[in-house]
Amino acid sequence: MNNEAVQKEREPFVNLSVSGSQADNASLIRRLEKPKGRVDVVLDTDAYNEIDDQFALAYLIKSDEKLDLKAIYAAPFFNRKSTGPADGMEKSYQEIMNILALLGREDLKEIVFRGSSSYLPSEIEPVLSDAARDLAERAMCYTEEKPLYVIAIGAITNVASALLMNPEIRNRIVLIWLGGNAVHWPHNREFNLYQDVAGARIVFGCGVPLVQLPCMGVVSAFTTSGPELEYHLRGKNRLCDYLIDVTAQEAMNCYGGSAWTRAIWDVTAVAWLLDGEFEEDCLIHSPIPEYDDRYAFDNNRHFIKYVYHIHRDNLFADLFYKLKK
């Protein structure tokens, strides 16, 4: 890490909140336009938590006509599949390595970084990790005109920590995060968000260009079934067979019975950057994630890009095509 970034890491937190001024919004709106041509991306993923992360990682790597993958960060998670956020992060790190091996992409293992071992203790204290340090430094090589795109599909701790360590990077990145529920949903208790509400409040409040893919009420429509996966992917390669087997096992564990569908949520975050009719979005004033599992709203807040519809069939067609390659 360069001396400037190290100094920023040691400095006390400076308020990251922004006003809703016309100048701020004009800049944000411009930066939230979908990019043309090939772009540099990093992926922040709790890969062992659910099978959708593995689909998303593979889809990203196989979309290299558009996405140039520069780093992969292991995100923390805590549920029945881990003993705590540190264990969840380490299991995610190892699962990233497993997917890279199944893809035959051993060359990418050197750009995988371990992330946070805990969630943010407050809205002014970062959790230091290799992932947060890498993002805080790597983003400084980019500009508003040519940003680094950060795709986040887990708890937002690593990204929020990097923003606290080096606030300047908010002007050099665009964040695409699958987190929170739809603004019309009756509550906002969504896994990626409620694990680290402090981190969510930072990314929704600091003025970083943010694309939100809400879970319940929007991305929850992006589901597939066992027969569909078997028809399109079985026997195509080692990765496809692995994805089918783990998806089926997860579905049986969660839902039981012989009939099920499974949301493959995280693929949609990757798809926002791709060329194709995959999603519909709009500008909204940035909502405020509260600690009581609700949003607060203020029309003086800056804008974010909000995905409100997934073209399910179009996106699955592209996903299946690329996974089979």
Side-chain angles (χ1 to χ4, degrees):
M1 181 179 292
N2 59 41
N3 290 335
E4 180 182 2
V6 170
Q7 180 62 32
K8 287 180 180 293
E9 178 179 326
R10 293 173 178 169
E11 289 174 353
F13 168 73
V14 177
N15 192 341
L16 274 173
S17 63
V18 297
S19 70
S21 71
Q22 186 175 3
D24 291 334
N25 280 323
S27 173
L28 283 169
I29 291 169
R30 175 177 51 80
R31 294 161 66 196
L32 285 167
E33 293 177 358
K34 284 197 176 185
K36 295 179 173 59
R38 201 158 181 254
V39 296
D40 290 354
V41 301
V42 298
L43 178 69
D44 187 77
T45 170
D46 56 348
Y48 193 76
N49 172 38
E50 292 185 296
I51 190 61
D52 52 333
D53 292 83
Q54 292 93 320
F55 276 92
L57 173 58
Y59 187 45
L60 193 163
I61 291 170
K62 287 177 173 283
S63 298
D64 57 356
E65 79 288 348
K66 176 74 176 185
L67 308 178
D68 189 358
L69 181 59
K70 296 299 184 182
I72 308 169
Y73 305 138
F77 74 91
F78 180 28
N79 58 17
R80 61 180 177 80
K81 297 180 71 173
S82 72
T83 60
D87 180 54
M89 183 278 295
E90 181 60 30
K91 286 179 175 175
S92 294
Y93 179 87
Q94 298 301 333
E95 182 64 4
I96 292 166
M97 295 299 191
N98 177 44
I99 295 299
L100 294 180
L102 288 169
L103 283 165
R105 294 300 307 268
E106 306 285 340
D107 58 305
L108 295 177
K109 290 185 175 181
E110 65 183 21
I111 62 169
V112 183
F113 298 86
R114 288 180 169 88
S116 306
S117 59
S118 63
Y119 306 124
L120 290 182
S122 74
E123 295 177 33
I124 62 172
E125 299 172 82
V127 180
L128 304 184
S129 67
D130 291 343
R133 291 186 182 95
D134 181 81
L135 180 56
E137 181 175 4
R138 184 181 301 275
M140 293 303 292
C141 299
Y142 296 83
T143 64
E144 287 192 22
E145 291 72 28
K146 187 177 180 180
L148 175 66
Y149 289 86
V150 179
I151 303 172
I153 52 178
I156 203 65
T157 312
N158 293 333
V159 179
S161 293
L163 284 161
L164 289 174
M165 291 160 61
N166 187 3
E168 171 60 24
I169 69 171
R170 72 181 175 189
N171 299 316
R172 300 168 185 266
I173 67 174
V174 174
L175 174 60
I176 301 125
W177 186 37
L178 184 133
N181 288 332
V183 292
H184 69 271
W185 203 252
H187 64 79
N188 199 31
R189 187 169 175 76
E190 183 278 320
F191 186 70
N192 288 349
L193 191 150
Y194 77 66
Q195 291 183 97
D196 195 342
V197 179
R201 287 169 64 86
I202 288 168
V203 299
F204 277 92
C206 73
V208 65
L210 172 63
V211 180
Q212 182 192 13
L213 290 107
C215 293
M216 296 305 299
V218 179
V219 179
S220 52
F222 189 66
T223 62
T224 189
S225 66
E228 184 176 46
L229 291 174
E230 291 284 346
Y231 178 83
H232 287 284
L233 299 182
R234 178 65 74 185
K236 297 301 187 286
N237 52 54
R238 291 173 60 214
L239 172 72
C240 287
D241 288 346
Y242 175 81
L243 293 175
I244 295 171
D245 292 341
V246 177
T247 304
Q249 187 60 55
E250 280 192 2
M252 294 298 291
N253 290 343
C254 292
Y255 312 125
S258 59
W260 53 265
T261 59
R262 176 69 166 79
I264 310 296
W265 319 80
D266 293 337
V267 167
T268 63
V270 176
W272 189 83
L273 278 171
L274 300 180
D275 299 325
E277 295 185 8
F278 300 137
E279 298 168 359
E280 302 291 339
D281 58 40
C282 63
L283 293 167
I284 66 169
H285 294 283
S286 181
I288 306 167
E290 299 285 21
Y291 287 97
D292 63 354
D293 301 327
R294 298 288 187 271
Y295 286 120
F297 300 96
D298 180 352
N299 286 341
N300 292 312
R301 299 257 288 181
H302 59 281
F303 283 115
I304 67 167
K305 187 67 69 75
Y306 178 85
V307 174
Y308 62 86
H309 179 70
I310 308 296
H311 293 286
R312 184 260 181 214
D313 292 352
N314 291 354
L315 182 48
F316 266 117
D318 193 56
L319 173 66
F320 292 154
Y321 169 76
K322 288 177 177 174
L323 292 180
K324 289 186 289 189
K325 287 195 301 183

